[in-house]
Amino acid sequence: MSTPPTPPPVAPRPVPAPAASPATAPDPADERIPLRRLAPLAVQHVLAMAAAPVSTVFLTAGALRLTPAATAALLSAVLVLSGAGSLLQSLGVWKFGARLPFVMLPGGAATALFLQTAADHGPAVATGSVLLAAALLLTVVPLYARIVRLFPPLVMGVTVLLIGISMVRVAAQLIAGPGGHPAPRTVVLAGLTVALTVAAYLLLRGVWRQSAVLIGMAAATVIAVTTGLGTFSPAGGGGYALPQLFPYGTPRFDLAAALPLLLFSLTTLAEITGQTVLNSETVGRPADPGRDVPRVARADALTSLFAGVLGTSLMVTSSENIGIGRLTGVRSRFVTAAAGGLLVVMGLLSPLSRAVAGLPPAVVGGSALVVYAVIALMGVQMLARAELGDGSRSMAAALALAVGLLPLVAPALYSGFPGWVRAVLGSGVVAGTLAAVLLHALAAAADRPPRAAPPLAPSAQPSPVP
């Protein structure tokens, strides 16, 4: 009897490899981009962000009446700071920088407060205020979770709106000149700058739209030179430009005068939180504000300390370039790092800095109107997110705005009060922000529903009446 044949061995079914867990998945922000793609992507980011540092320098130079040479040195400093800050945020060093595709720019609202402080107390006090505000931000980072609660959308909306309104007034003074009686051609040139900027924003798309301020300034300068409405006088010199240390002299520290920038440095924690979450979501990284926000804030504070040394205002991490990341689909932080490197090189090239230092003052004033009007609109948008309705919060916002507008419409209102009172209440931004913080807390307490009474114990229930 024959035995049945032995069946051939069955090969074991391959077991699929387990899917990579989110913890082991590569971080899209860490993607290495080939140089042939990295260069044009970095240039695109520079074009999108260049308007902010250039316009900031023009506004500062016009308000402080800087010479063309001093303006060129300040532009060099701001470009180098923007590039170095972008490198720090993108690459990260120890606990500084979130290693996200961030760029750093001079803050528009911070510049407005810097110029306001310089007008009231002198540029040396303004420089000391920047150093104090940067040191304060660096100090309070460990208390981040507690401080950010003081600045909800209502408070930040009031603050930003007051900054925008007050600086529209400063832009008008730039156009009017020292005597306050500008020639008609000066006003025409400023209006033409505004019109060209608006046209560029409405007609262009993508990166070019984001550079509408620069395009408007360049086009208005060409028209001014060709028609005689203004002159273009670049500073002399060549080679490399080096930023100047303490260009306004030894800093002076005045806590009362520094209050606007001190408060602003605290409000930036709320803005940093939103930008960090948005950027994390854009690159596909799980948002971790408790870890990343302090790193972003530390990098902002460190760069701002150097900004004070070099004669400009606080530097802030910006979300302007997040839109480019969404459009291109490239989420690598090495792109913004390369953009930072390009900005450093641009800042050190003297011909560029000295050429842009010669723009007509009326062009600078017209661009300032656009920039500061946009800041005011940002405040309105923040107030819209506060869901004011008809409750106590709407009254809180209204009264805080009234407190902040009083020094603007009646500058001599507090002239008879002591100096420290004038420093606090005489600044519309400080007075309005402090009023908003206090009134928001009172409104939140008033709108809080009453606590329900605990139910009675069975033994304490009233007996039924027979």
Side-chain angles (χ1 to χ4, degrees):
M1 185 175 180
S2 61
T3 59
T6 304
V10 179
R13 180 177 298 176
V15 179
S21 63
T24 60
D27 191 334
D30 294 333
E31 180 187 1
R32 300 279 180 170
I33 307 295
L35 182 60
R36 54 186 169 79
R37 290 183 57 213
L38 183 66
L41 289 171
V43 170
Q44 185 174 234
H45 279 268
V46 169
L47 289 175
M49 64 189 288
V54 173
S55 59
T56 295
V57 171
F58 293 150
L59 300 180
T60 303
L64 300 183
R65 311 295 176 188
L66 299 181
T67 64
T71 303
L74 184 61
L75 179 59
S76 172
V78 172
L79 290 174
V80 169
L81 288 168
S82 298
S86 301
L87 282 165
L88 183 58
Q89 292 287 20
S90 301
L91 301 181
V93 177
W94 192 47
K95 295 183 179 180
F96 293 82
R99 294 183 175 90
L100 284 167
F102 270 130
V103 296
M104 192 176 293
L105 298 170
T111 301
L113 294 177
F114 175 81
L115 295 179
Q116 179 181 332
T117 304
D120 295 340
H121 306 280
V125 175
T127 296
S129 301
V130 172
L131 296 174
L132 289 174
L136 175 65
L137 180 59
L138 197 60
T139 303
V140 302
V141 165
L143 305 176
Y144 154 71
R146 296 182 182 179
I147 293 176
V148 74
R149 298 174 186 171
L150 297 175
F151 301 98
L154 186 151
V155 176
M156 292 193 64
V158 168
T159 300
V160 175
L161 179 56
L162 289 173
I163 290 172
I165 294 174
S166 63
M167 292 316 296
V168 165
R169 179 184 173 191
V170 172
Q173 294 172 348
L174 286 176
I175 298 172
H181 300 284
R185 66 176 185 177
T186 301
V187 179
V188 170
L189 181 55
L192 184 63
T193 304
V194 173
L196 290 170
T197 303
V198 173
Y201 185 81
L202 294 178
L203 299 177
L204 301 178
R205 294 292 181 269
V207 175
W208 297 108
R209 166 179 274 191
Q210 294 176 332
S211 302
V213 173
L214 278 180
I215 294 172
M217 296 174 77
T221 301
V222 171
I223 293 176
V225 172
T226 55
T227 61
L229 290 175
T231 59
F232 176 65
S233 305
Y240 290 95
L242 295 177
Q244 297 180 5
L245 300 180
F246 298 117
Y248 317 121
T250 303
R252 293 174 51 201
F253 300 99
D254 185 333
L255 284 177
L259 269 178
L261 279 168
L262 291 174
L263 288 173
F264 177 81
S265 68
L266 296 180
T267 65
T268 58
L269 287 173
E271 185 177 359
I272 289 172
T273 302
Q275 292 176 348
T276 302
V277 172
L278 177 61
N279 205 343
S280 299
E281 293 174 351
T282 301
V283 303
R285 174 189 295 181
D288 189 350
R291 177 197 63 195
D292 292 337
V293 170
R295 293 178 177 177
V296 175
R298 289 190 194 98
D300 279 7
L302 180 62
T303 310
S304 295
L305 284 173
F306 286 100
V309 172
L310 298 179
T312 187
S313 189
L314 296 173
M315 303 293 293
V316 296
T317 293
S318 173
S319 58
E320 289 186 10
N321 292 54
I322 294 178
I324 297 180
R326 290 185 172 182
L327 289 174
T328 62
V330 179
R331 298 173 287 181
S332 172
R333 58 192 174 95
F334 297 104
V335 174
T336 50
L342 286 177
L343 284 171
V344 172
V345 173
M346 289 172 58
L348 296 177
L349 290 179
S350 178
L352 173 66
S353 300
R354 296 182 182 277
V356 297
L359 291 182
V363 172
V364 178
S367 298
L369 281 177
V370 177
V371 173
Y372 292 139
V374 170
I375 292 177
L377 180 60
M378 290 171 57
V380 174
Q381 293 171 336
M382 291 178 182
L383 284 175
R385 294 199 298 269
E387 300 178 357
L388 300 180
D390 298 324
S392 304
R393 298 188 180 190
S394 61
M395 179 62 71
L399 290 178
L401 283 173
V403 171
L405 289 173
L406 278 175
L408 300 179
V409 299
L413 183 64
Y414 303 109
S415 59
F417 286 79
W420 68 270
V421 176
R422 294 197 304 270
V424 176
L425 298 182
S427 169
V429 177
V430 174
T433 301
L434 292 177
V437 170
L438 176 61
L439 292 171
H440 176 267
L442 295 176
D447 291 342
R448 189 178 297 124
R451 185 177 299 175
L456 295 175
S459 59
Q461 295 289 343
S463 58
V465 179

